[in-house]
Coordinates of all heavy atoms in Angstrom, one line a residue:
I21 N 13.9 -0.4 -3.4 CA 13.5 -1.5 -2.4 C 14.8 -2.3 -2.1 O 15.4 -2.8 -3.0 CB 12.5 -2.4 -3.1 CG1 11.2 -1.6 -3.5 CG2 12.1 -3.5 -2.1 CD1 10.2 -2.4 -4.3
V22 N 15.1 -2.4 -0.8 CA 16.2 -3.2 -0.4 C 15.7 -4.5 0.3 O 14.8 -4.4 1.2 CB 17.1 -2.4 0.6 CG1 18.3 -3.3 1.0 CG2 17.5 -1.1 0.0
S23 N 16.1 -5.6 -0.1 CA 15.6 -6.9 0.4 C 16.6 -8.0 0.2 O 17.5 -7.9 -0.7 CB 14.3 -7.2 -0.5 OG 14.0 -8.6 -0.3
I24 N 16.5 -9.1 1.0 CA 17.3 -10.3 0.7 C 16.6 -11.2 -0.3 O 17.1 -12.2 -0.8 CB 17.7 -11.1 2.0 CG1 16.5 -11.6 2.7 CG2 18.6 -10.3 2.8 CD1 16.8 -12.6 3.8
F25 N 15.4 -10.8 -0.7 CA 14.6 -11.6 -1.7 C 14.1 -10.7 -2.8 O 12.9 -10.5 -3.0 CB 13.5 -12.3 -1.0 CG 13.8 -13.4 0.0 CD1 13.4 -13.3 1.3 CD2 14.7 -14.4 -0.4 CE1 13.8 -14.3 2.2 CE2 15.1 -15.4 0.5 CZ 14.6 -15.3 1.8
P26 N 15.0 -10.0 -3.5 CA 14.5 -9.1 -4.6 C 13.6 -9.8 -5.6 O 12.7 -9.1 -6.2 CB 15.8 -8.6 -5.2 CG 16.9 -9.4 -4.8 CD 16.5 -10.1 -3.5
E27 N 13.7 -11.1 -5.7 CA 12.9 -11.8 -6.7 C 11.4 -11.8 -6.3 O 10.5 -12.0 -7.1 CB 13.3 -13.3 -6.8 CG 13.4 -14.1 -5.6 CD 14.8 -14.0 -4.8 OE1 15.5 -12.9 -5.0 OE2 15.1 -14.9 -4.1
Y28 N 11.1 -11.4 -5.0 CA 9.7 -11.2 -4.6 C 9.0 -10.2 -5.5 O 7.7 -10.1 -5.5 CB 9.7 -10.8 -3.2 CG 9.1 -11.8 -2.2 CD1 9.9 -12.6 -1.5 CD2 7.7 -11.9 -2.0 CE1 9.4 -13.6 -0.6 CE2 7.2 -12.8 -1.1 CZ 8.1 -13.6 -0.4 OH 7.6 -14.5 0.5
F29 N 9.8 -9.3 -6.1 CA 9.2 -8.1 -6.7 C 9.0 -8.2 -8.2 O 8.7 -7.3 -8.9 CB 10.0 -6.9 -6.4 CG 10.0 -6.6 -4.9 CD1 11.1 -7.0 -4.1 CD2 8.9 -6.1 -4.3 CE1 11.1 -6.9 -2.7 CE2 8.9 -5.9 -2.9 CZ 9.9 -6.3 -2.1
A30 N 9.1 -9.5 -8.7 CA 8.8 -9.7 -10.1 C 7.4 -9.2 -10.5 O 7.3 -8.7 -11.6 CB 9.0 -11.2 -10.4
P31 N 6.4 -9.3 -9.6 CA 5.1 -8.8 -10.0 C 5.1 -7.4 -10.4 O 4.2 -6.9 -11.1 CB 4.3 -9.1 -8.8 CG 4.9 -10.3 -8.1 CD 6.4 -10.1 -8.4
L32 N 6.1 -6.6 -10.0 CA 6.1 -5.2 -10.3 C 6.5 -5.0 -11.8 O 6.5 -3.8 -12.3 CB 7.1 -4.4 -9.4 CG 6.7 -4.4 -7.9 CD1 7.7 -3.6 -7.1 CD2 5.3 -3.9 -7.7
D33 N 6.8 -6.1 -12.5 CA 7.0 -5.9 -13.9 C 5.7 -6.1 -14.8 O 5.8 -5.8 -16.0 CB 8.0 -7.1 -14.4 CG 9.4 -6.9 -13.8 OD1 9.7 -5.8 -13.5 OD2 10.0 -7.9 -13.5
L50 N 15.7 -2.2 -7.5 CA 15.8 -3.3 -6.5 C 17.2 -3.5 -6.1 O 18.1 -3.4 -6.9 CB 15.2 -4.6 -7.1 CG 13.8 -4.6 -7.6 CD1 13.4 -6.0 -8.2 CD2 12.8 -4.2 -6.5
H51 N 17.4 -3.8 -4.8 CA 18.8 -3.9 -4.3 C 18.8 -5.2 -3.4 O 18.0 -5.3 -2.5 CB 19.1 -2.7 -3.4 CG 18.9 -1.4 -4.2 ND1 19.8 -0.8 -5.0 CD2 17.9 -0.5 -4.2 CE1 19.4 0.3 -5.5 NE2 18.2 0.5 -5.0
Q52 N 19.9 -6.0 -3.6 CA 20.1 -7.2 -2.8 C 20.9 -6.8 -1.5 O 22.1 -6.5 -1.7 CB 20.8 -8.2 -3.6 CG 21.3 -9.5 -2.9 CD 20.3 -10.2 -2.0 OE1 20.3 -9.8 -0.8 NE2 19.5 -11.1 -2.5
L53 N 20.3 -6.9 -0.4 CA 21.0 -6.4 0.9 C 22.3 -7.2 1.1 O 23.3 -6.6 1.5 CB 20.1 -6.7 2.1 CG 20.7 -6.4 3.5 CD1 20.9 -4.9 3.6 CD2 19.8 -7.0 4.6
R54 N 22.4 -8.4 0.6 CA 23.6 -9.2 0.9 C 24.8 -8.7 0.1 O 25.9 -9.0 0.4 CB 23.4 -10.7 0.5 CG 22.3 -11.4 1.4 CD 22.3 -12.9 1.1 NE 21.2 -13.5 1.7 CZ 21.1 -14.0 3.0 NH1 22.2 -13.8 3.7 NH2 20.0 -14.6 3.4
R62 N 27.9 -14.2 3.5 CA 27.0 -13.0 3.2 C 25.9 -12.9 4.3 O 24.7 -12.8 4.1 CB 26.3 -13.2 1.8 CG 27.4 -13.0 0.7 CD 26.9 -13.6 -0.7 NE 25.8 -13.0 -1.2 CZ 25.8 -11.9 -2.1 NH1 26.9 -11.3 -2.3 NH2 24.7 -11.5 -2.7
C127 N 13.0 -3.9 3.5 CA 12.3 -5.1 3.7 C 13.0 -6.0 4.8 O 14.1 -6.5 4.5 CB 12.1 -6.0 2.5 SG 11.1 -5.1 1.2
R129 N 13.4 -9.2 7.5 CA 13.1 -10.6 7.6 C 13.4 -11.0 9.0 O 13.7 -10.2 9.9 CB 13.9 -11.4 6.6 CG 13.3 -11.4 5.2 CD 12.3 -12.5 5.0 NE 11.3 -12.2 4.0 CZ 10.4 -13.1 3.6 NH1 10.4 -14.3 4.1 NH2 9.4 -12.7 2.8
E161 N 8.5 -8.0 2.4 CA 8.4 -8.0 0.9 C 6.9 -7.9 0.5 O 6.6 -7.0 -0.4 CB 9.0 -9.2 0.3 CG 10.6 -9.1 0.3 CD 11.2 -9.5 1.6 OE1 10.5 -10.0 2.5 OE2 12.4 -9.3 1.7
V162 N 6.1 -8.7 1.0 CA 4.6 -8.7 0.6 C 4.0 -7.4 1.0 O 3.2 -6.8 0.2 CB 3.9 -9.9 1.2 CG1 2.4 -9.7 1.1 CG2 4.3 -11.2 0.6
L165 N 5.0 -4.9 -1.6 CA 4.2 -5.1 -2.9 C 2.8 -4.4 -2.7 O 2.3 -3.7 -3.6 CB 4.0 -6.6 -3.1 CG 5.2 -7.3 -3.8 CD1 4.9 -8.8 -3.8 CD2 5.3 -6.8 -5.3

Side-chain angles (χ1 to χ4, degrees):
I21 303 173
V22 183
S23 166
I24 60 172
F25 296 123
E27 56 272 26
Y28 248 95
F29 298 100
L32 297 182
D33 293 332
L50 303 178
H51 309 276
Q52 170 49 270
L53 177 67
R54 295 188 194 276
R62 292 164 60 91
C127 297
R129 278 271 152 175
E161 286 79 7
V162 168
L165 278 169

